[in-house]
Amino acid sequence: MQFPPWVDQPRTKKARAKNRLKYIIGILAMQATGKASVRAFAEHIGLNHSTISIYIGRGKFSEQCASHIQTQMPGLVQAADLINPLEINAT
């Protein structure tokens, strides 16, 4: 996956993980709803927006939530990428 420079700029792993998740969720939100809104995306996939925001803040999603997002957005995201965002090979 290709990330813009701001995503991997922070020195701490947690900050990079959070930025990667913000970027991924933003892309998914745009594809699902036409706008980069966590709230609109959450409503689209049947989750509470605060749930998504909490996981972004933690820098990783739970397996259950990541699997739900993958199921709702088939072919666009892998649960493993949401669970371990720093494991994504940046190109």
Side-chain angles (χ1 to χ4, degrees):
M1 176 176 283
Q2 199 168 30
F3 293 107
W6 66 267
V7 172
D8 284 332
Q9 188 174 17
R11 293 181 186 252
T12 68
K13 287 183 178 183
K14 185 173 182 179
R16 282 194 311 274
K18 287 168 58 172
N19 280 356
R20 284 185 173 200
L21 290 176
K22 283 180 195 176
Y23 181 75
I24 292 167
I25 295 300
I27 297 292
L28 292 173
M30 284 295 295
Q31 292 178 351
T33 69
K35 50 188 170 181
S37 164
V38 172
R39 182 179 298 271
F41 177 66
E43 289 174 5
H44 179 78
I45 62 170
L47 291 175
N48 188 300
H49 75 279
S50 63
T51 300
I52 293 175
S53 295
I54 288 168
Y55 285 127
I56 289 172
R58 290 180 181 170
K60 62 182 180 178
F61 279 77
S62 69
E63 288 184 32
Q64 182 180 9
C65 189
S67 293
H68 177 79
I69 293 171
Q70 179 179 331
T71 300
Q72 296 300 310
M73 302 297 290
L76 297 177
V77 67
Q78 297 296 314
D81 292 343
L82 299 173
I83 296 167
N84 296 306
L86 294 178
E87 296 294 318
I88 301 169
N89 290 326
T91 57

